[in-house]
PDB file of all heavy atoms in Angstrom:
ATOM      1  N   TRP W  24       6.144  -4.136   7.049  1.00 69.00           N
ATOM      2  CA  TRP W  24       7.396  -3.592   6.540  1.00 69.00           C
ATOM      3  C   TRP W  24       7.150  -2.275   5.829  1.00 69.00           C
ATOM      4  O   TRP W  24       6.182  -2.138   5.096  1.00 69.00           O
ATOM      5  CB  TRP W  24       8.037  -4.553   5.545  1.00 69.00           C
ATOM      6  CG  TRP W  24       8.479  -5.830   6.148  1.00 69.00           C
ATOM      7  CD1 TRP W  24       7.740  -6.975   6.256  1.00 69.00           C
ATOM      8  CD2 TRP W  24       9.735  -6.117   6.733  1.00 69.00           C
ATOM      9  NE1 TRP W  24       8.477  -7.954   6.865  1.00 69.00           N
ATOM     10  CE2 TRP W  24       9.706  -7.450   7.159  1.00 69.00           C
ATOM     11  CE3 TRP W  24      10.901  -5.369   6.922  1.00 69.00           C
ATOM     12  CZ2 TRP W  24      10.791  -8.054   7.781  1.00 69.00           C
ATOM     13  CZ3 TRP W  24      11.976  -5.969   7.539  1.00 69.00           C
ATOM     14  CH2 TRP W  24      11.918  -7.299   7.969  1.00 69.00           C
ATOM     15  N   LEU W  25       8.049  -1.334   6.007  1.00 71.00           N
ATOM     16  CA  LEU W  25       8.038  -0.071   5.286  1.00 71.00           C
ATOM     17  C   LEU W  25       9.154  -0.135   4.254  1.00 71.00           C
ATOM     18  O   LEU W  25      10.301  -0.399   4.586  1.00 71.00           O
ATOM     19  CB  LEU W  25       8.287   1.078   6.264  1.00 71.00           C
ATOM     20  CG  LEU W  25       8.129   2.482   5.726  1.00 71.00           C
ATOM     21  CD1 LEU W  25       6.676   2.733   5.355  1.00 71.00           C
ATOM     22  CD2 LEU W  25       8.593   3.473   6.763  1.00 71.00           C
ATOM     23  N   PHE W  26       8.816   0.084   2.996  1.00 74.00           N
ATOM     24  CA  PHE W  26       9.782   0.029   1.898  1.00 74.00           C
ATOM     25  C   PHE W  26       9.943   1.416   1.306  1.00 74.00           C
ATOM     26  O   PHE W  26       8.973   2.020   0.866  1.00 74.00           O
ATOM     27  CB  PHE W  26       9.303  -0.948   0.823  1.00 74.00           C
ATOM     28  CG  PHE W  26      10.173  -0.976  -0.400  1.00 74.00           C
ATOM     29  CD1 PHE W  26      11.456  -1.488  -0.338  1.00 74.00           C
ATOM     30  CD2 PHE W  26       9.714  -0.483  -1.607  1.00 74.00           C
ATOM     31  CE1 PHE W  26      12.268  -1.509  -1.465  1.00 74.00           C
ATOM     32  CE2 PHE W  26      10.514  -0.505  -2.744  1.00 74.00           C
ATOM     33  CZ  PHE W  26      11.799  -1.020  -2.666  1.00 74.00           C
ATOM     34  N   ASP W  27      11.162   1.929   1.316  1.00 75.00           N
ATOM     35  CA  ASP W  27      11.461   3.235   0.732  1.00 75.00           C
ATOM     36  C   ASP W  27      12.078   3.003  -0.643  1.00 75.00           C
ATOM     37  O   ASP W  27      13.181   2.472  -0.755  1.00 75.00           O
ATOM     38  CB  ASP W  27      12.408   4.016   1.630  1.00 75.00           C
ATOM     39  CG  ASP W  27      12.563   5.460   1.185  1.00 75.00           C
ATOM     40  OD1 ASP W  27      12.527   5.727  -0.045  1.00 75.00           O
ATOM     41  OD2 ASP W  27      12.722   6.325   2.053  1.00 75.00           O
ATOM     42  N   ARG W  28      11.377   3.402  -1.698  1.00 75.00           N
ATOM     43  CA  ARG W  28      11.836   3.166  -3.069  1.00 75.00           C
ATOM     44  C   ARG W  28      13.047   3.999  -3.444  1.00 75.00           C
ATOM     45  O   ARG W  28      13.766   3.663  -4.378  1.00 75.00           O
ATOM     46  CB  ARG W  28      10.705   3.444  -4.050  1.00 75.00           C
ATOM     47  CG  ARG W  28       9.563   2.502  -3.884  1.00 75.00           C
ATOM     48  CD  ARG W  28       8.484   2.820  -4.881  1.00 75.00           C
ATOM     49  NE  ARG W  28       7.263   2.167  -4.456  1.00 75.00           N
ATOM     50  CZ  ARG W  28       6.069   2.580  -4.783  1.00 75.00           C
ATOM     51  NH1 ARG W  28       5.921   3.627  -5.549  1.00 75.00           N
ATOM     52  NH2 ARG W  28       5.016   1.937  -4.363  1.00 75.00           N
ATOM     53  N   ARG W  29      13.267   5.101  -2.729  1.00 78.00           N
ATOM     54  CA  ARG W  29      14.398   5.973  -3.066  1.00 78.00           C
ATOM     55  C   ARG W  29      15.733   5.282  -2.814  1.00 78.00           C
ATOM     56  O   ARG W  29      16.643   5.378  -3.617  1.00 78.00           O
ATOM     57  CB  ARG W  29      14.310   7.275  -2.284  1.00 78.00           C
ATOM     58  CG  ARG W  29      13.100   8.120  -2.709  1.00 78.00           C
ATOM     59  CD  ARG W  29      12.851   9.208  -1.726  1.00 78.00           C
ATOM     60  NE  ARG W  29      12.311   8.582  -0.509  1.00 78.00           N
ATOM     61  CZ  ARG W  29      11.368   9.128   0.244  1.00 78.00           C
ATOM     62  NH1 ARG W  29      10.899  10.301  -0.037  1.00 78.00           N
ATOM     63  NH2 ARG W  29      10.910   8.502   1.299  1.00 78.00           N
ATOM     64  N   ASP W  30      15.862   4.597  -1.677  1.00 80.00           N
ATOM     65  CA  ASP W  30      17.137   3.933  -1.376  1.00 80.00           C
ATOM     66  C   ASP W  30      16.974   2.425  -1.192  1.00 80.00           C
ATOM     67  O   ASP W  30      17.893   1.752  -0.759  1.00 80.00           O
ATOM     68  CB  ASP W  30      17.802   4.548  -0.153  1.00 80.00           C
ATOM     69  CG  ASP W  30      16.975   4.389   1.117  1.00 80.00           C
ATOM     70  OD1 ASP W  30      15.955   3.676   1.111  1.00 80.00           O
ATOM     71  OD2 ASP W  30      17.372   4.979   2.136  1.00 80.00           O
ATOM     72  N   THR W  31      15.798   1.902  -1.527  1.00 78.00           N
ATOM     73  CA  THR W  31      15.441   0.477  -1.442  1.00 78.00           C
ATOM     74  C   THR W  31      15.624  -0.107  -0.043  1.00 78.00           C
ATOM     75  O   THR W  31      15.864  -1.294   0.121  1.00 78.00           O
ATOM     76  CB  THR W  31      16.204  -0.388  -2.479  1.00 78.00           C
ATOM     77  OG1 THR W  31      17.596  -0.386  -2.169  1.00 78.00           O
ATOM     78  CG2 THR W  31      15.956   0.107  -3.896  1.00 78.00           C
ATOM     79  N   SER W  32      15.496   0.740   0.978  1.00 78.00           N
ATOM     80  CA  SER W  32      15.632   0.236   2.343  1.00 78.00           C
ATOM     81  C   SER W  32      14.313  -0.345   2.837  1.00 78.00           C
ATOM     82  O   SER W  32      13.233   0.088   2.444  1.00 78.00           O
ATOM     83  CB  SER W  32      16.085   1.349   3.286  1.00 78.00           C
ATOM     84  OG  SER W  32      15.108   2.368   3.355  1.00 78.00           O
ATOM     85  N   LEU W  33      14.435  -1.355   3.686  1.00 74.00           N
ATOM     86  CA  LEU W  33      13.286  -1.968   4.355  1.00 74.00           C
ATOM     87  C   LEU W  33      13.395  -1.702   5.841  1.00 74.00           C
ATOM     88  O   LEU W  33      14.464  -1.868   6.426  1.00 74.00           O
ATOM     89  CB  LEU W  33      13.278  -3.482   4.143  1.00 74.00           C
ATOM     90  CG  LEU W  33      12.696  -4.002   2.854  1.00 74.00           C
ATOM     91  CD1 LEU W  33      12.909  -5.513   2.760  1.00 74.00           C
ATOM     92  CD2 LEU W  33      11.224  -3.686   2.753  1.00 74.00           C
TER      93      LEU W  33
END
Side-chain angles (χ1 to χ4, degrees):
W24 294 91
L25 188 66
F26 175 68
D27 190 326
R28 295 180 196 155
R29 293 166 288 217
D30 63 8
T31 66
S32 64
L33 277 174

